[in-house]
Amino acid sequence: MPPVPTTYEESLSKERHIFENCLNVHDLPRIFHYWSEKHLKPKLLPFGFDSLDAMFLKYLEERFEQKAGYQRFVSLGSGNCDLEVELARQLRGRGHESFTIDCLDLNPSMLGRGRLAAEQAGVSGHLEFVESDCNNWAPAQTYDAVIANQSLHHILNLEGLFEGVRKSLTIGGCFIISDMIGRNGHQRWPEALEAVHDFWRQLPPSYRFNLRSGRYEELFQDWDCSTEGFEGIRSQDILPLLLRNFHFHLFVPFGNIIDPFIDRSFGHHFDPEAEWDRAFIDRVHARDEAGLSTGLLSPTHMLAVVGKEPRETVFPGNLSPHFCVRTRDETTQAPADRPPAYDWFSWPHDPRRDLKAVCRRLGQTEAREQDLLAWGSRLDQELNARTVWALKLVKELEERTEWALRLQAEVDAANVRNGHIQDELEERTAWALRTQEDLQRELGDRTAWARRLESELDERTAWTRNLVDEVEANKNAAARSHQLNAELERKNQEITERHRHPVRVLIKALRARIEGRLRKKIRIA
């Protein structure tokens, strides 16, 4: 037996694992289709549809009649999106183009298969795929209709989900449901289990082999499916909570003790071409109908349409939603003195054929057991090898941890040194910035001084040039003076010769005057 999940996360992981590779969620035995065609379909026809898919299509199409323009729908727990793809195809075939169906599921693998199916059907433009856990769903927009096809019995937080549905529905919007509403974990209530056992005793031994679990069930075993994942986790609370939160528009209940005989565990044993098999299924269905109508049994399945606004509730006969809520004590047990497990005269099957079938099943079970034992042995060997590997890994991890700690200490020391260097760098940077400012100021001062010096140099250069010009002019004047002196000397000599003494005195006086003027000019220059 697999371990029972103990936390929400474990159950969530188990739920994902169960459906990760489930390609056909609704693959049912041929005997189921015999039963549904003969007994279920006539119950549905008075309500305007002949199948579960047709019910969804009918009420989605009604939204187009009630409200013009764009419609947005959402499917809760859409799985592989088989229904949603088909609804989109049917709606388009009936001329509806302005709509979108949001497909919500927590399993990305199933959404991936839905995305591929939508592309192949040419309706991917009408479907959006959203990975979401419906237990925590918080709708971000409003919807004209909400769909739940065999998904509510997987929901733990029904109260939160129904509150979200109520908030998201537009005026006149509807919540369309096909689901299981029997006992939690798909177990049978005591009165139903007793009836199942009554019919079980009439089954040939070859029909009692559980094809899903691989075990022979001499008497039907009432297994609690909710111990694995979320299967049937709160099935019995669905109908009461819907009555508390919504108004019923349509309610079609059906099924109870028929379930184990037409499901995937035992239904494949029945041959719809065989008269005894069909008669057996018909008898079980008749027992169901009698028990449901009298209230001795409560239904395990329902089709329903609910909404926020009150409307007249349509339902078959006396099977109203309130009538179908089981109110008896859940702890009631079936009688302890049960008759034998086999009613040997209830079936016409050849005992030798039945014995061969049972032996074949037992052989298959034994072979499967041997395979499991071999697998377990291989797993044990692999576990031992991995344990050795894990111990080596632990040792290596300890060594690397020690190395990492040493490295961390070195890194911490380096960080301290880097901190000191950073502080010194910041100090030197501040000093450099201050020095740069001082140098900039000094450079400005010296530049201004140089400019003043240059201006003064230009002025002095101009003055020097003027002085040189004047000196040159004075040199010319001195030369002229010497020339004049020479000429004057010559004249003096001539005059002296002529006048001798008086003239000589006059010449000396004149010479002194001229020399005095020249000296004065030279001093000035």
Side-chain angles (χ1 to χ4, degrees):
M1 182 182 296
V4 178
T6 57
T7 67
Y8 178 79
E9 288 73 19
E10 289 178 352
S11 297
L12 196 66
S13 176
K14 185 71 174 178
E15 185 83 356
R16 285 197 181 99
H17 176 72
I18 290 172
F19 292 98
E20 184 175 7
N21 298 310
C22 187
L23 302 181
N24 194 341
V25 179
H26 306 293
D27 183 22
L28 294 167
R30 289 192 303 147
I31 197 65
F32 170 85
H33 299 291
Y34 162 78
W35 168 80
S36 63
E37 187 70 20
K38 181 175 181 180
H39 298 294
L40 181 59
K41 184 176 180 179
K43 292 174 69 74
L44 305 181
L45 287 173
F47 301 101
F49 49 88
D50 60 0
S51 67
L52 310 186
D53 291 2
M55 178 198 68
F56 286 102
L57 180 62
K58 168 182 167 63
Y59 284 94
L60 287 185
E61 195 166 23
E62 281 188 4
R63 295 301 296 140
F64 287 95
E65 299 171 0
Q66 297 166 358
K67 173 192 168 186
Y70 176 76
Q71 306 278 339
R72 192 163 195 112
F73 311 128
V74 60
S75 177
L76 305 175
S78 56
N80 291 327
C81 309
D82 304 308
L83 172 65
E84 293 72 18
V85 169
E86 180 61 20
L87 288 175
R89 193 183 67 80
Q90 292 274 5
L91 289 172
R92 285 191 61 186
R94 299 189 179 202
H96 305 295
E97 293 287 345
S98 185
F99 69 92
T100 299
I101 303 176
D102 290 341
C103 301
L104 272 64
D105 201 275
L106 61 82
N107 199 311
S109 299
M110 303 189 86
L111 290 176
R113 291 192 285 270
R115 187 177 290 105
L116 179 61
E119 292 174 357
Q120 293 173 345
V123 295
S124 56
H126 293 283
L127 273 68
E128 296 287 341
F129 302 91
V130 183
E131 184 179 345
S132 175
D133 181 2
C134 291
N135 286 290
N136 304 316
W137 182 54
Q141 58 187 337
T142 57
Y143 292 98
D144 299 289
V146 178
I147 298 170
N149 181 31
Q150 298 300 315
S151 60
L152 297 183
H153 66 267
H154 293 269
I155 304 301
L156 183 62
N157 182 20
L158 288 170
E159 292 85 353
L161 180 66
F162 289 167
E163 181 181 359
V165 172
R166 279 184 57 84
K167 291 179 179 178
S168 69
L169 281 177
T170 59
I171 297 176
C174 59
F175 185 14
I176 313 169
I177 306 164
S178 169
D179 223 304
M180 305 183 72
I181 56 173
R183 192 177 184 182
N184 289 346
H186 303 322
Q187 297 181 94
R188 271 71 199 171
W189 295 110
E191 64 275 11
L193 182 61
E194 183 179 1
V196 170
H197 284 162
D198 287 344
F199 282 101
W200 201 263
R201 296 182 182 94
Q202 303 174 34
L203 281 181
S206 59
Y207 284 44
R208 306 187 188 198
F209 189 81
N210 190 321
L211 297 172
R212 299 186 72 185
S213 67
R215 64 174 177 247
Y216 182 79
E217 298 187 16
E218 187 175 52
L219 203 61
F220 175 74
Q221 297 180 21
D222 199 23
W223 175 253
D224 183 0
C225 299
S226 65
T227 57
E228 299 184 15
F230 292 119
E231 185 66 43
I233 189 69
R234 292 188 65 192
S235 299
Q236 67 195 49
D237 298 324
I238 293 174
L239 181 56
L241 287 173
L242 285 173
L243 284 166
R244 188 183 305 169
N245 288 275
F246 300 95
H247 297 280
F248 273 79
H249 304 165
L250 170 74
F251 180 67
V252 183
F254 58 92
N256 190 317
I257 59 178
I258 191 67
D259 293 351
F261 301 102
I262 58 175
D263 70 4
R264 284 167 286 188
S265 295
F266 301 97
H268 290 287
H269 297 305
F270 291 87
D271 181 5
E273 306 298 326
E275 181 179 355
W276 185 90
D277 294 25
R278 296 195 304 271
F280 180 88
I281 295 299
D282 293 342
R283 291 200 308 275
V284 176
H285 175 77
R287 178 76 172 268
D288 257 347
E289 290 295 290
L292 292 176
S293 63
T294 59
L296 295 177
L297 297 175
S298 53
T300 55
H301 301 265
M302 74 165 184
L303 303 180
V305 179
V306 300
K308 295 189 293 185
E309 296 82 18
R311 282 171 51 180
E312 180 184 359
T313 306
V314 180
F315 52 85
N318 65 329
L319 300 180
S320 69
H322 287 90
F323 179 80
C324 290
V325 174
R326 187 179 186 277
T327 57
R328 280 171 289 177
D329 182 8
E330 298 178 8
T331 61
T332 303
Q333 299 297 323
D337 52 339
R338 293 172 178 170
Y342 298 95
D343 185 355
W344 294 102
F345 302 101
S346 297
W347 58 85
H349 299 69
D350 182 355
R352 288 173 298 181
R353 183 184 68 82
D354 232 34
L355 181 60
K356 287 181 180 180
V358 171
C359 290
R360 185 178 68 254
R361 295 294 186 192
L362 290 175
Q364 292 171 349
T365 301
E366 184 177 2
R368 183 182 178 189
E369 182 181 2
Q370 293 299 323
D371 291 340
L372 289 174
L373 287 174
W375 172 78
S377 178
R378 292 194 302 271
L379 188 63
D380 188 55
Q381 293 174 1
E382 183 179 353
L383 180 62
N384 291 333
R386 294 202 176 192
T387 300
V388 173
W389 170 79
L391 291 174
K392 292 180 179 178
L393 191 62
V394 168
K395 183 178 179 181
E396 183 179 353
L397 180 62
E398 291 174 350
E399 293 173 354
R400 294 200 175 191
T401 301
E402 184 179 354
W403 171 82
L405 291 173
R406 291 197 304 270
L407 184 61
Q408 182 63 45
E410 293 178 9
V411 169
D412 292 340
N415 287 336
V416 172
R417 290 196 300 272
N418 289 338
H420 295 329
I421 293 173
Q422 183 67 28
D423 293 340
E424 184 176 354
L425 179 61
E426 291 177 355
E427 291 176 0
R428 295 197 176 192
T429 301
W431 172 83
L433 291 174
R434 291 194 301 270
T435 302
Q436 184 179 10
E437 293 174 357
D438 295 341
L439 290 175
Q440 288 288 349
R441 286 194 297 270
E442 184 175 353
L443 179 61
D445 295 341
R446 295 203 176 193
T447 301
W449 173 79
R451 287 174 180 170
R452 291 194 301 271
L453 189 61
E454 183 181 10
S455 176
E456 184 178 350
L457 181 61
D458 290 341
E459 292 177 358
R460 294 199 177 192
T461 301
W463 174 80
T464 303
R465 286 175 180 171
N466 293 334
L467 183 61
V468 169
D469 291 342
E470 290 183 9
V471 168
E472 288 296 330
N474 289 337
K475 286 182 179 179
N476 293 333
R480 180 63 179 165
S481 175
H482 287 302
Q483 184 180 0
L484 289 174
N485 285 335
E487 187 178 351
L488 181 59
E489 186 66 32
R490 186 175 56 79
K491 291 290 187 180
N492 286 337
Q493 289 178 359
E494 289 179 0
I495 294 172
T496 301
E497 290 297 328
R498 290 180 183 174
H499 303 287
R500 291 305 265 187
H501 182 71
V503 175
R504 187 176 299 164
V505 175
L506 182 60
I507 289 172
K508 285 183 180 180
L510 181 61
R511 181 182 295 171
R513 185 179 295 177
I514 291 171
E515 288 177 357
R517 289 182 178 178
L518 287 174
R519 290 191 188 99
K520 186 177 181 180
K521 286 183 178 182
I522 291 171
R523 281 196 304 270
I524 294 173

